[in-house]
């Protein structure tokens, strides 16, 4: 154990950038070369080998110039908790496999639900991630709506920028290919509540059954927050389940300066929160929380050997889609006990501040365009000097991303917006500075000009 900690600490101390830029074949070859049927003699050799097959070319989210996806650097108390969680190996399905773990998880669900404002009857459970949280929320919403009709007529309403797990969940739930109705967004990429209202009316007129509205609090690309209070009004008017996907925006619950951005979330029927994003927890740590505890009956099944109907124990498996389940809650527990919620909220505010500073840099830069001002901590932007056509911008921007990745000096993301290729920065590291952003944007524009000089754009394409 001590050697393992020493190896990772030593390695991290020597990391000088978010990754090496190694190519797929090189990384694959190192892994393929290992003979799994011939174990090594001692742990020192195992660690040395792991260094080569894993650590050397790992992607480091704590590095200030890792700016790609929604991966966070992790807080140390949560890492300490990981050691305990894995060593004890509690399973949170039943009380008789976890004891205090069950009560710790329950306290944290209570804490989360109270932060949201869901009221005394709310309840929920930790999950493996936002995808699973969304699936469970929609599964419960489907169970809730079943009284009214058949699954093929169910409709889910979500903005065009909602997470793809909504679509995936609809498919897993057997709702058919047309189940998700896409609602347009405004200039800041927020769901248009008038369009939502109209879509729900027309679905009803067509004999469909509105099953749920998914409002996103922090879209993955733009960090935009749908107008939660107005969406809640539409849901209330039509009696439709309101789910808030706050996988990304959930960290605002502990912000001392921006909690109001989530106003209206307390009216949700269910909420998804990814602690492994804006609470700086190691993967995995997520929760789904429901306004009405009773709604969780849609995932309650009994086994005689595990959680018989007659059991007097508080068995979390009654509320979960999983059976054997990690005690991820301890990580958040130890984080709150060692650092406090405000410290986490201050980290969230720091990365949001950084994103607005980054937005200003982009707006002022003659060679850069940005889609919209950020609400959270992402920026969708592209290299497009004066006079460059949209097609040429489409050709050059993916090359910029690839070139930078290959250099290992920074990692940025790419996405598509309105059919065009854009770049994306996701800021989730409070250690990233404005200087880092300056440097990464300089790298983007230099690389862009370099690609234009080197080849004509046709070749880049
Ligand atoms: C990340 C994300 C998800 C999916 O969460 P996972 O933990 O990756 O499964 C869902 N919704 C939104 C808005 C997200 O940003």
């Amino acid at each position: 154990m001590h050697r393992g900690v020493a190896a990772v600490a030593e390695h991290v101390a020597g990391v000088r950038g978010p990754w090496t830029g190694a190519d797929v074949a090189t990384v694959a070859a190192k892994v393929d070369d290992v003979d799994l049927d011939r174990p090594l003699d001692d742990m020192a050799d195992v660690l040395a080998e792991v260094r080569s097959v894993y650590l050397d070319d790992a992607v480091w989210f704590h590095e200030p110039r890792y700016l790609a996806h929604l991966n966070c650097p992790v807080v140390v108390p949560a890492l300490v908790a990981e050691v305990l969680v894995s060593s004890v190996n509690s399973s949170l399905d039943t009380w008789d496999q976890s004891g205090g773990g069950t009560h710790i998880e329950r306290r944290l669900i209570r804490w989360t639900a109270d932060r949201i404002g869901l009221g005394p009857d709310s309840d929920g459970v930790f999950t493996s991630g936002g995808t699973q949280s969304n699936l469970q929320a929609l599964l419960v919403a489907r169970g809730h709506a079943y009284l009214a009709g058949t699954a093929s007529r169910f409709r889910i309403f979500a903005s065009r920028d909602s997470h793809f797990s909504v679509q995936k969940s609809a498919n897993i739930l057997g709702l058919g290919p047309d189940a998700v109705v896409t609602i347009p967004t405004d200039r800041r990429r927020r769901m248009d509540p008038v369009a939502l209202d109209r879509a729900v009316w027309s679905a009803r007129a067509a004999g469909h059954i509105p099953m749920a509205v998914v409002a996103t609090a922090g879209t993955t690309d733009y960090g935009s927050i749908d107008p939660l209070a107005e969406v809640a009004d539409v849901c209330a008017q039509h009696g439709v389940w309101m789910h808030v996907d706050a996988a990304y925006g959930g960290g605002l619950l502990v912000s001392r300066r921006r909690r109001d951005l989530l106003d209206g979330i307390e009216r949700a029927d269910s909420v998804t929160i990814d602690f492994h994003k804006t609470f700086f927890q190691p993967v995995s740590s997520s929760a789904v929380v429901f306004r009405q505890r009773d709604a969780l009956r849609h995932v309650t099944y009994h086994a005689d050997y595990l959680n018989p109907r007659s059991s007097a124990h508080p068995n979390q498996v009654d509320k979960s889609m999983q059976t054997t389940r990690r005690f991820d809650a301890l990580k958040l527990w130890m984080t709150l006990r060692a650092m406090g919620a405000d410290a986490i909220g201050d980290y969230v505010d720091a990365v949001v501040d950084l994103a607005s500073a980054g937005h200003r840099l982009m707006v002022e830069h003659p060679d850069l365009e940005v889609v919209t001002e950020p609400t959270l901590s992402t920026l969708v932007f592209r290299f497009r000097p004066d006079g460059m056509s949209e097609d040429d911008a489409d050709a050059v921007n993916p090359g910029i991303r690839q070139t930078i990745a290959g250099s290992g000096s920074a990692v940025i993301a790419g996405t598509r917006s309105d059919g065009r290729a854009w770049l994306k920065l996701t800021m989730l590291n409070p250690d990233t500075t404005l200087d880092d952003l300056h440097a990464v944007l300089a790298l983007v524009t230099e690389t862009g000009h370099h690609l234009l000089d080197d080849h004509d754009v046709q070749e880049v394409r």
Side-chain angles (χ1 to χ4, degrees):
M1 287 293 294
H2 288 292
R3 269 199 218 154
V5 172
V8 76
E10 186 197 322
H11 197 93
V12 166
V15 166
R16 293 288 175 271
W19 83 303
T20 55
D23 60 274
V24 176
T26 311
V27 178
K30 286 202 276 183
V31 175
D32 288 347
D33 277 351
V34 172
D35 183 352
L36 287 176
D37 292 319
R38 290 187 42 204
L40 298 167
D41 288 334
D42 69 56
M43 186 52 74
D45 295 338
V46 174
L47 284 168
E49 184 180 271
V50 162
R51 193 164 232 192
S52 154
V53 296
Y54 177 43
L55 295 182
D56 278 350
D57 297 304
V59 182
W60 299 102
F61 304 146
H62 70 279
E63 274 289 306
R65 294 184 191 181
Y66 177 83
L67 295 162
H69 303 289
L70 276 167
N71 312 104
C72 57
V74 293
V75 292
V76 173
L79 275 186
V80 179
E82 278 287 12
V83 176
L84 274 67
V85 167
S86 299
S87 306
V88 181
N89 201 26
S90 297
S91 180
L92 269 278
D93 41 346
T94 55
W95 189 82
D96 65 9
Q97 297 172 82
S98 59
T102 286
H103 301 287
I104 288 172
E105 174 167 312
R106 287 178 166 226
R107 277 291 301 279
L108 288 169
I109 290 291
R110 180 82 267 132
W111 179 86
T112 306
D114 288 347
R115 285 266 173 173
I116 299 171
L118 286 181
D121 295 331
S122 53
D123 201 354
V125 73
F126 271 66
T127 72
S128 65
T131 303
Q132 197 193 9
S133 292
N134 284 344
L135 174 61
Q136 179 167 349
L138 291 173
L139 183 147
V140 166
R142 184 188 63 174
H144 187 76
Y146 248 134
L147 302 168
T150 65
S152 66
R153 287 161 61 208
F154 286 157
R155 290 294 177 271
I156 298 169
F157 304 83
S159 96
R160 63 175 179 145
D161 294 324
S162 63
H163 194 261
F164 77 143
S165 55
V166 174
Q167 202 81 44
K168 210 181 211 178
S169 300
N171 189 18
I172 294 170
L173 295 172
L175 303 184
D178 303 321
V180 180
V181 179
T182 304
I183 309 297
T185 54
D186 66 10
R187 194 181 54 80
R188 300 220 24 213
R189 315 294 296 215
R190 297 169 297 205
M191 181 190 282
D192 174 355
V194 177
L196 170 67
D197 187 45
R198 235 179 298 144
V200 177
W201 276 115
S202 22
R204 288 171 61 179
H208 297 143
I209 301 159
M211 184 195 105
V213 172
V214 177
T216 311
T219 58
T220 312
D221 268 351
Y222 302 100
S224 50
I225 299 176
D226 291 339
L228 300 176
E230 286 158 274
V231 170
D233 288 342
V234 174
C235 290
Q237 191 199 340
H238 294 278
V240 183
W241 186 277
M242 177 179 175
H243 175 64
V244 177
D245 179 358
Y248 176 15
L252 293 172
L253 289 173
V254 289
S255 159
R256 288 191 274 187
R257 286 160 49 208
R258 295 189 174 86
R259 171 60 179 81
D260 60 327
L261 288 175
L262 292 178
D263 284 354
I265 194 173
E266 70 285 353
R267 294 172 64 190
D269 294 294
S270 54
V271 179
T272 287
I273 291 199
D274 265 4
F275 298 115
H276 61 215
K277 287 177 181 164
T278 40
F279 281 76
F280 307 96
Q281 299 293 296
V283 175
S284 58
S285 185
S286 177
V288 59
V289 195
F290 296 85
R291 162 177 306 286
Q292 289 295 336
R293 169 172 302 126
D294 179 53
L296 283 157
R297 71 183 184 281
H298 297 297
V299 293
T300 308
Y301 292 83
H302 295 282
D304 291 333
Y305 63 85
L306 190 69
N307 61 334
R309 223 172 274 277
S310 60
S311 170
H313 290 156
N315 297 319
Q316 294 291 83
V317 69
D318 297 352
K319 309 175 199 173
S320 176
M321 294 185 6
Q322 293 164 268
T323 307
T324 303
R325 190 163 54 85
R326 279 173 60 82
F327 182 23
D328 289 312
L330 187 65
K331 296 181 283 189
L332 180 60
W333 179 271
M334 287 182 64
T335 302
L336 293 178
R337 301 310 297 140
M339 300 173 63
D342 287 349
I344 297 296
D346 291 350
Y347 283 170
V348 174
D349 280 324
V351 294
V352 178
D353 287 341
L354 186 68
S356 24
H359 178 254
R360 273 192 300 279
L361 293 183
M362 289 176 180
V363 168
E364 285 160 11
H365 200 298
D367 296 345
L368 296 177
E369 274 181 355
V370 54
V371 173
T372 183
E373 57 201 282
T375 308
L376 289 173
S377 64
T378 60
L379 290 164
V380 178
F381 72 109
R382 66 181 171 183
F383 172 73
R384 191 181 172 214
D386 258 0
M388 180 184 270
S389 72
E390 294 249 12
D391 284 348
D392 288 349
D394 268 2
V396 78
N397 277 284
I400 294 173
R401 180 190 175 201
Q402 231 178 329
T403 307
I404 292 176
S407 78
S409 50
V411 183
I412 66 177
T415 188
R416 295 189 77 78
S417 185
D418 297 321
R420 296 293 179 179
W422 291 73
L423 302 170
K424 181 168 91 164
L425 300 186
T426 306
M427 276 141 281
L428 219 50
N429 186 344
D431 284 342
T432 302
T433 62
L434 198 54
D435 282 348
D436 289 312
L437 284 194
H438 261 295
V440 170
L441 293 182
L443 197 58
V444 167
T445 52
E446 277 161 27
T447 309
H449 284 295
H450 193 73
L451 288 175
L452 290 181
D453 293 347
D454 262 14
H455 322 261
D456 69 359
V457 170
Q458 284 306 319
E459 239 178 280
V460 176
R461 186 177 303 169

